[in-house]
Amino acid sequence: MSGSPTKCNLLLIRDHSRFTTHDSRFNLLPYICCTTLAMINPDILLKAYRLMCMAKSIAETYEANRSICKYVHSTSRGHEAIQLATAFQLLSCDYVSPYYRDESMLLGLGFSPYELMLQLLAKGDDIFTAGREYYAHPNYNGTDKPRIIHQSSATGMQVIPTTGIAQGIQYLENHLTDNLTKGINGELPVVICSLGDASITEGEVSEAFQVAVLKKLPVIYLVQDNNWGISVTAEEARAMDAYEYAGGFPGMERVRINGSDFEESYDAMRRIVQYVRQHRSPYLVQAKVPLLGHHTSGVRKEFYRSETDWSTHLKDDPGPKLRQRLVELGIAEEHLIQVEKSSAEDIARQFQQAVVAAEPDPSTIAHHVFAPTPINEEKGERTPARKEKIPMVDAALFAIREIMEEFPEAILYGQDVGKRLGGVFREAATLAEKFGDHRVFNTAIQEAYIIGSTVGMSAVGVKPIVEVQFADYIYPGLNQLVSELSKSCYLSNGKFPVQTLIRVPVGAYGGGGPYHSGSIETTLLSIKGIKVVYPSNSADMKGLMKAAFLDPNPVLMLEHKGLYWSKVPGTEDAKSVEPSRDYILPLGKGSIVLKADQSHLDAGSTCCIITYGMGVYWAKAAAKHFPGQVEIIDLRTLFPLDEELIYQTVSRHGKCLVLTEEQQNNSFAEALAGRISHHCFKQLDAAVEVLGALNLPAVPMNMILESAMLPNTEKVKLRVKKLIEY
Ligand SMILES: Cc1ncc(C[n+]2csc(CCOP(=O)(O)OP(=O)(O)O)c2C)c(N)n1
């Protein structure tokens, strides 16, 4: 992309003397400018012009073929200059997160119009998502271009995963250099996060900015400011622009540039990328651009834009500006006409090719929901001889310690998990001392960042283990879990599964009150693309924690606070002997924690209880009143679910209670009961019973009220009696 003009281009340039410096613009580039705007190789200007012509033809082609281009799409018209200028700076070791209007950036990175059009038309050969995602929602994992993680359409949300990439890169750079991919000349990678001006007002953006400046991350936030957020104007939506906002984050370098001027944009981005490559600290670029297309193919400009607004934007069309500049530089008119003509022909040809490309094969619909896990068998010694029993909290701690000893790419972060406290439940105690603050560290109170950053960490090969302090506070992080983590593997067609382990203390006991007692499994299980584990004893905790860590997908480990130390009467069995170091328990395998007697089974006087977590202990206590008549299944993993064990067990007993700590209505337990009724209909001798907590909005603080709300041994006993006597 750099170097001297080719012979051919030298012939086209009539007047070299008109390469000028542009001193008046330097005030736009504080901190990084030297004294002249560097001369840009005419090859680059011509390449940019050709790609701008292509982008224009693309927009015109889509507009002229609206019935064919039926899926919603946005084009880059108006934003071409800054997008191309940015793309031209990047190396294959870099990462970029374009947003849905970054079509020209994709062309600049080297993707062909045909490749983009396959996504436009949701064709089977779409290299990004195989027909699953909108236009200009790329993801790319090759080695010849910058890598692109999966993009959601949620405005501004990619800022957290992308900042996570930069944080992951920083970890590799400082502590695992051999794992870091550098440029061919040893260049360090930079990360570009591109977004529209209206997206900056999303709250999650501030979490990412905070981390970027706090940790000095090598990330460039490129804000393309066209003054619109669909029909909402900047004046309506913001008290400050992105540049001013960035001023509130000390350490964030910032600049405003004219993003419709290719030369200015190119020069600025070249310097900024170089700066971040060397200085390893964040930068915000606010590029002013016109919006010269519809917001999307569906939301048409005529609905809300005035003639005056349109004509004002049109004056800044980057294409004619660059053309004018090329003419000034002496590029022959005939050559420019030839570029325009051949670009249009190229686009027409590639569009026709894309139109006739094959549709996706419907049999691939369920491919890549998850990446395959290597852990499918229980291995190692679950109950080594002569060992003390340990509480669940220690089993979790020891599992993480062994993981971190074995995997230098494993890091642990969350609120209060660092050295000073080691977790509010001491569930991470001693880890920071042992592994250092760089591997075990506190975060701010930023559940969105804690969860969402793992997307980027995982993409660069760091293996994050994160903690959300209480289940009741997972909600600020749910957006990232749903919009980004859960969909990444499926929508990238398997290219970007998110390997992360998210620890979440859950459950009620001893007056924790309404915001420290919640259960969240039903909420989590409504999300497809994540796994949910819920151990009820130390051996399972350790074995499942290992399997969850090695699973290449997002796994949430729900850890019941009432079982952590077996302090709740009746939960002593949650303590068990610590399994061996190599013990591992695959996800998705339930266990029979109590078996019914064959004699009772033969007499038809038994039932089974399907449960998990604290339910295991209520069930065991209740079963003591019906010796030999109750079989108890501990699910251990809620997704994937051991349906085989459940259906086999229910079929043998014909009577079943599904028991949960959650509020009952519309719970996972009720859904499971429905599935059991369907699968085991012919073997059932009674309707499937469900017992959960009362349907209240929260667990009340007072302990008498708390226990009135929750299931307990007595309540379980009554249901078992009813079933057995049925
Ligand atoms: C979280 C979220 N809320 C709402 C939307 C719907 N939406 C799509 S684009 C858009 C406007 C975004 O404006 P801006 O970021 O300035 O980008 P532009 O389209 O102007 O380039 C909105 C509100 C969305 N995609 N995501």
Side-chain angles (χ1 to χ4, degrees), residues 164 176 265 433 470 535 608:
L176 275 180
S265 297
E433 281 88 345
F470 294 92
C608 62

Side-chain angles (χ1 to χ4, degrees), residues 74 79 99-101 153-155 157 195-200 202 224 226 228-230 291 295:
S74 300
H79 293 222
Y99 83 115
Y100 55 79
R101 202 174 293 293
S153 299
T155 47
M157 304 310 160
L195 63 168
D197 54 298
S199 307
I200 290 289
E202 285 281 5
Q224 299 178 44
N226 59 28
W228 287 105
I230 308 188
L291 181 63
H295 167 68

Side-chain angles (χ1 to χ4, degrees), residues 72-274:
V72 68
H73 54 270
S74 300
T75 72
S76 58
R77 282 291 289 120
H79 293 222
E80 299 93 328
I82 181 64
Q83 292 182 10
L84 292 168
T86 303
F88 289 176
Q89 314 307 326
L90 299 180
L91 306 175
S92 58
C93 62
D94 295 329
Y95 285 77
V96 56
S97 292
Y99 83 115
Y100 55 79
R101 202 174 293 293
D102 274 325
E103 165 196 69
S104 288
M105 190 185 288
L106 297 176
L107 293 175
L109 290 171
F111 294 103
S112 71
Y114 174 70
E115 286 171 326
L116 304 193
M117 289 166 183
L118 288 176
Q119 190 174 43
L120 173 90
L121 302 171
K123 295 296 179 124
D125 286 342
D126 154 26
I127 62 161
F128 303 124
T129 67
R132 293 172 178 188
E133 263 271 31
Y134 312 96
Y135 185 57
H137 282 60
N139 59 80
Y140 189 72
N141 204 7
T143 50
D144 60 326
K145 299 184 183 68
R147 291 175 76 206
I148 305 174
I149 59 171
H150 166 257
Q151 303 298 296
S152 83
S153 299
T155 47
M157 304 310 160
Q158 80 275 31
V159 177
I160 286 181
T162 306
T163 305
I165 297 177
Q167 197 175 356
I169 285 174
Q170 185 183 63
Y171 177 71
L172 297 180
E173 197 178 318
N174 295 340
H175 306 289
L176 275 180
T177 320
D178 289 350
N179 293 22
L180 182 70
T181 307
K182 296 185 185 153
I184 45 171
N185 297 315
E187 297 93 339
L188 291 170
V190 298
V191 181
I192 303 250
C193 179
S194 173
L195 63 168
D197 54 298
S199 307
I200 290 289
T201 52
E202 285 281 5
E204 289 184 14
V205 171
S206 73
E207 292 191 20
F209 282 9
Q210 187 75 245
V211 178
V213 294
L214 182 72
K215 305 272 179 187
K216 297 194 177 9
L217 301 179
V219 56
I220 298 164
Y221 301 105
L222 171 62
V223 182
Q224 299 178 44
D225 184 3
N226 59 28
N227 212 55
W228 287 105
I230 308 188
S231 73
V232 181
T233 61
E235 293 70 32
E236 275 176 298
R238 65 194 196 202
M240 70 200 87
D241 67 9
Y243 175 87
E244 289 161 333
Y245 188 56
F249 295 87
M252 178 91 78
E253 305 290 3
R254 57 193 173 131
V255 62
R256 283 194 188 101
I257 62 170
N258 179 355
S260 69
D261 181 322
F262 178 77
E263 280 176 294
E264 178 176 330
S265 297
Y266 183 90
D267 194 59
M269 290 314 295
R270 187 177 58 78
R271 291 166 194 261
I272 290 163
V273 168
Q274 261 175 22

Side-chain angles (χ1 to χ4, degrees), residues 437-502:
D437 297 331
H438 62 294
R439 292 188 66 194
V440 180
F441 51 89
N442 289 337
T443 63
I445 309 171
Q446 298 181 323
E447 288 77 10
Y449 191 84
I450 291 169
I451 292 179
S453 57
T454 65
V455 176
M457 294 271 185
S458 160
V460 300
V462 174
K463 292 189 166 73
I465 304 168
V466 297
E467 186 184 288
V468 172
Q469 201 162 61
F470 294 92
D472 310 72
Y473 303 126
I474 199 168
Y475 299 102
L478 270 194
N479 173 49
Q480 287 291 325
L481 189 62
V482 175
S483 303
E484 310 295 339
L485 276 74
S486 73
K487 295 176 173 52
S488 182
C489 186
Y490 185 67
L491 293 179
S492 66
N493 210 26
K495 291 195 282 305
F496 287 99
V498 178
Q499 170 154 31
T500 183
L501 168 53
I502 303 174

Side-chain angles (χ1 to χ4, degrees), residues 409-659:
E409 65 273 35
I411 60 173
L412 170 70
Y413 56 99
Q415 289 150 33
D416 299 298
V417 302
K419 203 176 273 170
R420 212 165 290 117
L421 185 57
V424 289
F425 302 102
R426 313 310 312 281
E427 71 286 3
T430 69
L431 293 176
E433 281 88 345
K434 183 164 171 54
F435 297 105
D437 297 331
H438 62 294
R439 292 188 66 194
V440 180
F441 51 89
N442 289 337
T443 63
I445 309 171
Q446 298 181 323
E447 288 77 10
Y449 191 84
I450 291 169
I451 292 179
S453 57
T454 65
V455 176
M457 294 271 185
S458 160
V460 300
V462 174
K463 292 189 166 73
I465 304 168
V466 297
E467 186 184 288
V468 172
Q469 201 162 61
F470 294 92
D472 310 72
Y473 303 126
I474 199 168
Y475 299 102
L478 270 194
N479 173 49
Q480 287 291 325
L481 189 62
V482 175
S483 303
E484 310 295 339
L485 276 74
S486 73
K487 295 176 173 52
S488 182
C489 186
Y490 185 67
L491 293 179
S492 66
N493 210 26
K495 291 195 282 305
F496 287 99
V498 178
Q499 170 154 31
T500 183
L501 168 53
I502 303 174
R503 298 181 63 184
V504 192
V506 292
Y509 85 105
Y515 290 96
H516 297 83
S517 304
S519 292
I520 53 169
E521 54 269 28
T522 295
T523 303
L524 295 179
L525 292 164
S526 70
I527 306 167
K528 312 305 169 207
I530 62 171
K531 300 185 182 182
V532 181
V533 183
Y534 203 146
S536 73
N537 60 67
S538 302
D540 287 348
M541 172 72 97
K542 194 169 178 211
L544 288 167
M545 190 76 89
K546 298 270 180 90
F549 173 78
L550 291 173
D551 199 297
N553 302 289
V555 183
L556 284 103
M557 175 69 72
L558 305 186
E559 304 176 18
H560 200 295
K561 307 187 293 281
L563 298 177
Y564 260 164
W565 299 276
S566 292
K567 276 189 186 160
V568 179
T571 63
E572 294 75 18
D573 285 358
K575 288 187 188 168
S576 53
V577 168
E578 185 191 353
S580 62
R581 191 182 178 91
D582 63 348
Y583 178 68
I584 197 152
L585 181 58
L587 308 191
K589 302 260 184 255
S591 76
I592 303 171
V593 293
L594 184 69
K595 268 192 115 37
D597 288 351
Q598 191 60 43
S599 55
H600 283 295
L601 205 53
D602 295 341
S605 58
T606 62
C607 74
C608 62
I609 303 179
I610 311 293
T611 189
Y612 56 95
M614 191 61 89
V616 170
Y617 299 94
W618 293 323
K620 276 177 147 183
K624 289 196 177 131
H625 298 269
F626 308 92
Q629 289 184 283
V630 178
E631 190 144 323
I632 301 172
I633 300 293
D634 178 358
L635 294 173
R636 306 199 287 196
T637 305
L638 306 187
F639 190 88
L641 188 61
D642 195 344
E643 295 193 358
E644 198 184 328
L645 177 65
I646 296 169
Y647 300 149
Q648 270 175 9
T649 309
V650 175
S651 299
R652 274 193 295 115
H653 293 273
K655 293 173 185 176
C656 164
L657 165 65
V658 183
L659 173 61

